[in-house]
Amino acid sequence: MFDNVYKNKTVLVTGDTGFKGSWLAIWLKELGANVIGYSLESKTENDNYVICGLGNKIIHIDGDIRNYQSLKSMFDKYEPDIIFHLAAQPLVLEGYHNPAETYSTNIMGTVNILEVVRNIDSVKTVVIVTTDKCYENRECENGYHETDRLGGKDPYSASKAACEIVINSYIQSYFNNNSTASIASARAGNIIGGGDWAENRIVPDCIRSLRKNETIKIRNPKSVRPWQYILEPLSGYLKLGALLYKYGEKYSGAWNFGPKEVITVKDLVENVIDKWGHGEITILEPSDQNVESSYLRLDISKAIAGLKWEPKLCISESVKYTIDQYKVEDLSQDEVFQQRVKYINDYCKI
Ligand SMILES: NC(=O)c1ccc[n+]([C@@H]2O[C@H](COP(=O)([O-])OP(=O)(O)OC[C@H]3O[C@@H](n4cnc5c(N)ncnc54)[C@H](O)[C@@H]3O)[C@@H](O)[C@H]2O)c1
């Protein structure tokens, strides 16, 4: 898959201890890459990185993305060919509580990656993961295009919009006209899949309640989001990385990755309950603080036409795979790892 681009390449995944980074590291390992991970330590014993025993399967370095010297030493030592930058403070609510840390991690982390790449010859390809929330939200029902105006009312969204501006300025200033490296950004929506235990994310919150036989409390049941199964955007990132590696700056710039369909919070939770087997919902009064947009979807026609990438699963299948993955997390590390690999192989056959 991916034209064998990743086989025997040294691929750096920042944020490998996180939800998406750990799945990406597993997939890259299966593709034959020599995977290097760089991030803070995992937060809980339930994290995908821990329950898969990923620390024994890749080279992992504990480090802060804001520490340029530590990052540069790691690049000098391992000389990665390809980078997927996912390390970030990724939560809207945490962004409201700790805006300065959110800005420094997300913006300066991205600047540091680009600075090291600018000062080293080994790297050919960089995919930087931002978010669908980088757009100025106009509650637009048609979906945002990559050329739409950036924005963000809350600190997390604004930090990611700022990353996009930083990335574009580095591309325009240093990574065009046959430079050694090509850079792209990937904007995806809300991701679901096993091993995500982040606070205040709807599916992890549901699983926590279901495991304790408590009712699932939701605010804003009518909010609409582009939820997608973990392997859908990751397949897009890998395809983008492979094309960037082979053809260079023709593929640089921003790319949206979204699902086939968008649904409301309430529909998603009902789907989770259906696949789990039982459960109840309580609808809470919406809070007027810490506002999130109520309607968010992406236009993915650029990725469909330009990368020949498209989402494969409907929301019901996505939720089914996700719930099945949460249900096996008590197995041994090797068994969970093998189970994750099986999901990746099955997905590739669809
Ligand atoms: N999960 C989603 O639904 C979603 C949606 C859109 C975009 N994203 C983006 O995808 C990326 C990964 O998100 P995730 O859901 O896996 O998050 P996560 O919280 O599970 O993982 C974040 C990772 O970043 C690392 N990290 C955080 N601060 C760091 C620092 N200062 N130095 C080094 N490493 C640091 C953590 O150690 C962890 O490995 C983020 O950039 C996020 O903004 C996620």
Side-chain angles (χ1 to χ4, degrees), residues 14-22 38-43 63-66 85-91 101 105-106 129-133 156 160 186-192 196 198 201 237:
T14 72
D16 60 313
T17 55
F19 166 50
K20 287 167 71 177
S22 58
Y38 182 96
S39 61
L40 302 179
E41 283 179 21
S42 39
K43 281 190 179 149
D64 195 312
I65 199 75
R66 291 166 294 185
H85 175 47
L86 289 91
Q89 191 299 96
L91 302 171
E101 183 148 346
T105 302
N106 295 359
V129 172
T130 65
T131 176
D132 57 354
K133 297 188 178 61
Y156 168 70
K160 289 287 186 167
R187 305 169 177 175
N190 298 39
I191 317 301
I192 61 173
D196 183 14
R201 269 192 193 147
Y237 303 168

Side-chain angles (χ1 to χ4, degrees), residues 49-166:
Y49 177 89
V50 179
I51 60 174
C52 292
L54 200 54
N56 301 321
K57 295 183 163 63
I58 63 168
I59 298 172
H60 167 80
I61 292 102
D62 277 341
D64 195 312
I65 199 75
R66 291 166 294 185
N67 182 337
Y68 179 84
Q69 281 316 327
S70 153
L71 205 55
K72 177 78 169 54
S73 310
M74 186 265 300
F75 271 76
D76 288 340
K77 181 165 180 193
Y78 295 104
E79 301 189 328
D81 306 289
I82 299 170
I83 299 168
F84 290 95
H85 175 47
L86 289 91
Q89 191 299 96
L91 302 171
V92 173
L93 208 57
E94 177 63 20
Y96 276 113
H97 296 321
N98 286 308
E101 183 148 346
T102 300
Y103 286 122
S104 70
T105 302
N106 295 359
I107 302 173
M108 286 317 295
T110 300
V111 170
N112 283 343
I113 287 283
L114 292 167
E115 268 302 287
V116 182
V117 173
R118 193 167 78 82
N119 290 302
I120 198 166
D121 286 334
S122 75
V123 179
K124 266 195 85 175
T125 300
V126 187
V127 175
I128 299 179
V129 172
T130 65
T131 176
D132 57 354
K133 297 188 178 61
C134 65
Y135 294 105
E136 178 186 57
N137 197 303
R138 294 172 277 115
E139 306 287 335
C140 158
E141 295 204 1
N142 294 329
Y144 297 97
H145 294 88
E146 288 82 350
T147 46
D148 278 336
R149 197 182 162 107
L150 298 168
K153 289 180 187 156
D154 65 278
Y156 168 70
S157 305
S159 75
K160 289 287 186 167
C163 288
E164 289 285 352
I165 292 171
V166 166

Side-chain angles (χ1 to χ4, degrees), residues 201-211 216 218 269 272:
R201 269 192 193 147
I202 189 76
V203 173
D205 283 349
C206 287
I207 305 294
R208 276 186 281 268
S209 300
L210 290 169
R211 283 191 170 178
I216 299 169
I218 53 173
V269 175
V272 168

